Amino acid sequence: MRRTVGVFVLLAILVLHLALVQADDPKPQKPNSAPGSSKPKSLGLRATVKDILHRDDVHAAKSVLVMADVALVIAGIQLQLSMVHEQLMALKLGEFSASSHHHQHQAHAHHHTEHLAAQGSTAILAILLLHSLTEVWALGVGKFMKNTALVVDLFVVATSLYLEVIFESLQGMARWYAEVWRFVRIVHGSFETFVHSPLVAPYVTPDHHSSDH
């Protein structure tokens, strides 16, 4: 898992480097076609990628990923609570009780399932981070930073991915803050899903993810 995240970190550095280089050294504009020419003007790579990122099906796919991540986070919290309950029941019944072994087994099963949910969430966050970084490159750092919604998305996704990777090693208040951040993810993900829903998107999306910014 850490090796996979490392690959995404390298991709993130590469995308940001390309965005900064192209922002500082823009390509010269090509001369327009002759007045009588009917040959359509071809889009550059960045413009093509930007158009793809703002397609309805891409927004729908992102919304599905966000909803899946929210579901996994909620499931993970429920599994953690169930694991704590089973552990407390095992302690209450005593080490040599048959029922205690059952509760210990259930606690272990909940922990394993919660770990799988965390891995799935980490994979989704890595995809969402790659999407946001691609948007940085396609729009350019300047235009991207002017869009508050996109900046917040990138911050939440990057922070969430970082905390998921190091979560098992956290102790004390640091772990508590990481737990609280999961609720921030739920609120943010639910808001993003609402904004991109068919009923709301036509009124919000043009300003929320405008290609011109």
Short mmCIF file of all heavy atoms in Angstrom, two decimals, residues 5-21 129-130 133-134 136-137:
data_model
loop_
_atom_site.label_atom_id
_atom_site.label_comp_id
_atom_site.label_asym_id
_atom_site.label_seq_id
_atom_site.Cartn_x
_atom_site.Cartn_y
_atom_site.Cartn_z
N VAL A 5 1.08 4.32 -2.81
CA VAL A 5 0.95 5.74 -2.49
C VAL A 5 2.19 6.51 -2.91
O VAL A 5 2.11 7.64 -3.39
CB VAL A 5 0.70 5.92 -0.97
CG1 VAL A 5 0.72 7.39 -0.60
CG2 VAL A 5 -0.63 5.30 -0.58
N GLY A 6 3.35 5.89 -2.76
CA GLY A 6 4.58 6.53 -3.20
C GLY A 6 4.58 6.83 -4.69
O GLY A 6 5.06 7.88 -5.13
N VAL A 7 4.02 5.91 -5.47
CA VAL A 7 3.91 6.13 -6.92
C VAL A 7 3.02 7.33 -7.20
O VAL A 7 3.34 8.18 -8.04
CB VAL A 7 3.35 4.87 -7.61
CG1 VAL A 7 3.05 5.16 -9.08
CG2 VAL A 7 4.35 3.73 -7.51
N PHE A 8 1.90 7.44 -6.47
CA PHE A 8 1.01 8.58 -6.66
C PHE A 8 1.66 9.88 -6.23
O PHE A 8 1.41 10.93 -6.82
CB PHE A 8 -0.30 8.34 -5.90
CG PHE A 8 -1.30 7.54 -6.67
CD1 PHE A 8 -1.44 6.19 -6.45
CD2 PHE A 8 -2.10 8.14 -7.63
CE1 PHE A 8 -2.36 5.43 -7.17
CE2 PHE A 8 -3.03 7.41 -8.34
CZ PHE A 8 -3.16 6.05 -8.11
N VAL A 9 2.48 9.83 -5.20
CA VAL A 9 3.19 11.04 -4.77
C VAL A 9 4.16 11.50 -5.86
O VAL A 9 4.26 12.70 -6.17
CB VAL A 9 3.96 10.77 -3.46
CG1 VAL A 9 4.89 11.94 -3.14
CG2 VAL A 9 2.98 10.57 -2.31
N LEU A 10 4.88 10.55 -6.47
CA LEU A 10 5.78 10.90 -7.58
C LEU A 10 5.00 11.48 -8.75
O LEU A 10 5.45 12.45 -9.38
CB LEU A 10 6.56 9.66 -8.02
CG LEU A 10 7.60 9.13 -7.01
CD1 LEU A 10 8.23 7.84 -7.54
CD2 LEU A 10 8.68 10.16 -6.77
N LEU A 11 3.84 10.89 -9.06
CA LEU A 11 3.00 11.44 -10.13
C LEU A 11 2.53 12.85 -9.79
O LEU A 11 2.47 13.72 -10.66
CB LEU A 11 1.80 10.52 -10.36
CG LEU A 11 2.07 9.19 -11.07
CD1 LEU A 11 0.81 8.33 -11.09
CD2 LEU A 11 2.56 9.42 -12.50
N ALA A 12 2.20 13.06 -8.50
CA ALA A 12 1.76 14.38 -8.07
C ALA A 12 2.86 15.41 -8.28
O ALA A 12 2.62 16.52 -8.77
CB ALA A 12 1.33 14.34 -6.61
N ILE A 13 4.09 15.06 -7.90
CA ILE A 13 5.22 15.97 -8.07
C ILE A 13 5.44 16.28 -9.55
O ILE A 13 5.69 17.43 -9.94
CB ILE A 13 6.48 15.38 -7.45
CG1 ILE A 13 6.32 15.25 -5.92
CG2 ILE A 13 7.71 16.22 -7.79
CD1 ILE A 13 7.45 14.51 -5.25
N LEU A 14 5.32 15.25 -10.40
CA LEU A 14 5.52 15.44 -11.84
C LEU A 14 4.45 16.36 -12.42
O LEU A 14 4.76 17.27 -13.20
CB LEU A 14 5.47 14.08 -12.55
CG LEU A 14 5.60 14.10 -14.08
CD1 LEU A 14 6.93 14.73 -14.48
CD2 LEU A 14 5.48 12.70 -14.64
N VAL A 15 3.18 16.13 -12.03
CA VAL A 15 2.09 16.96 -12.55
C VAL A 15 2.25 18.41 -12.13
O VAL A 15 2.09 19.33 -12.94
CB VAL A 15 0.73 16.41 -12.07
CG1 VAL A 15 -0.39 17.39 -12.39
CG2 VAL A 15 0.45 15.06 -12.73
N LEU A 16 2.58 18.64 -10.85
CA LEU A 16 2.78 20.01 -10.38
C LEU A 16 3.97 20.67 -11.07
O LEU A 16 3.93 21.86 -11.39
CB LEU A 16 2.99 20.02 -8.87
CG LEU A 16 1.73 19.73 -8.02
CD1 LEU A 16 2.11 19.62 -6.55
CD2 LEU A 16 0.71 20.83 -8.22
N HIS A 17 5.03 19.90 -11.30
CA HIS A 17 6.19 20.44 -12.00
C HIS A 17 5.82 20.88 -13.42
O HIS A 17 6.18 21.98 -13.86
CB HIS A 17 7.30 19.40 -12.05
CG HIS A 17 8.48 19.81 -12.89
ND1 HIS A 17 9.37 20.79 -12.49
CD2 HIS A 17 8.90 19.38 -14.12
CE1 HIS A 17 10.29 20.95 -13.42
NE2 HIS A 17 10.03 20.11 -14.41
N LEU A 18 5.05 20.03 -14.12
CA LEU A 18 4.64 20.37 -15.49
C LEU A 18 3.74 21.60 -15.48
O LEU A 18 3.85 22.46 -16.35
CB LEU A 18 3.90 19.18 -16.11
CG LEU A 18 4.77 17.96 -16.46
CD1 LEU A 18 3.88 16.82 -16.93
CD2 LEU A 18 5.79 18.30 -17.52
N ALA A 19 2.84 21.68 -14.48
CA ALA A 19 1.94 22.83 -14.41
C ALA A 19 2.72 24.13 -14.18
O ALA A 19 2.45 25.15 -14.81
CB ALA A 19 0.92 22.63 -13.30
N LEU A 20 3.70 24.08 -13.28
CA LEU A 20 4.49 25.28 -12.99
C LEU A 20 5.36 25.67 -14.16
O LEU A 20 5.50 26.85 -14.48
CB LEU A 20 5.35 25.03 -11.74
CG LEU A 20 4.58 24.92 -10.42
CD1 LEU A 20 5.52 24.46 -9.31
CD2 LEU A 20 3.95 26.26 -10.06
N VAL A 21 5.95 24.68 -14.84
CA VAL A 21 6.81 24.98 -15.99
C VAL A 21 6.00 25.63 -17.10
O VAL A 21 6.40 26.63 -17.68
CB VAL A 21 7.49 23.69 -16.49
CG1 VAL A 21 8.13 23.94 -17.86
CG2 VAL A 21 8.56 23.24 -15.50
N LEU A 129 -7.09 12.22 -5.92
CA LEU A 129 -5.93 13.11 -5.89
C LEU A 129 -5.33 13.27 -7.28
O LEU A 129 -4.98 14.38 -7.69
CB LEU A 129 -4.88 12.58 -4.92
CG LEU A 129 -3.59 13.40 -4.82
CD1 LEU A 129 -3.88 14.82 -4.34
CD2 LEU A 129 -2.58 12.73 -3.90
N LEU A 130 -5.24 12.17 -8.00
CA LEU A 130 -4.71 12.23 -9.36
C LEU A 130 -5.62 13.10 -10.23
O LEU A 130 -5.13 13.88 -11.08
CB LEU A 130 -4.59 10.82 -9.94
CG LEU A 130 -3.95 10.70 -11.32
CD1 LEU A 130 -2.53 11.25 -11.30
CD2 LEU A 130 -3.94 9.24 -11.78
N LEU A 133 -4.94 16.78 -9.31
CA LEU A 133 -3.64 17.23 -9.81
C LEU A 133 -3.65 17.38 -11.32
O LEU A 133 -3.00 18.28 -11.87
CB LEU A 133 -2.55 16.25 -9.38
CG LEU A 133 -2.26 16.21 -7.88
CD1 LEU A 133 -1.30 15.10 -7.54
CD2 LEU A 133 -1.71 17.56 -7.41
N THR A 134 -4.39 16.53 -11.99
CA THR A 134 -4.55 16.67 -13.44
C THR A 134 -5.27 17.97 -13.75
O THR A 134 -4.96 18.66 -14.73
CB THR A 134 -5.33 15.48 -14.02
OG1 THR A 134 -4.66 14.27 -13.69
CG2 THR A 134 -5.44 15.59 -15.53
N VAL A 136 -5.10 20.65 -11.89
CA VAL A 136 -4.10 21.71 -11.68
C VAL A 136 -3.30 21.92 -12.96
O VAL A 136 -3.07 23.06 -13.40
CB VAL A 136 -3.16 21.35 -10.52
CG1 VAL A 136 -2.03 22.37 -10.41
CG2 VAL A 136 -3.92 21.28 -9.20
N TRP A 137 -2.87 20.82 -13.56
CA TRP A 137 -2.06 20.91 -14.79
C TRP A 137 -2.88 21.46 -15.96
O TRP A 137 -2.39 22.30 -16.73
CB TRP A 137 -1.51 19.53 -15.14
CG TRP A 137 -0.82 19.49 -16.46
CD1 TRP A 137 0.43 19.94 -16.76
CD2 TRP A 137 -1.37 19.00 -17.70
NE1 TRP A 137 0.70 19.76 -18.10
CE2 TRP A 137 -0.38 19.17 -18.69
CE3 TRP A 137 -2.58 18.41 -18.04
CZ2 TRP A 137 -0.60 18.78 -20.02
CZ3 TRP A 137 -2.79 18.02 -19.35
CH2 TRP A 137 -1.80 18.21 -20.33
#
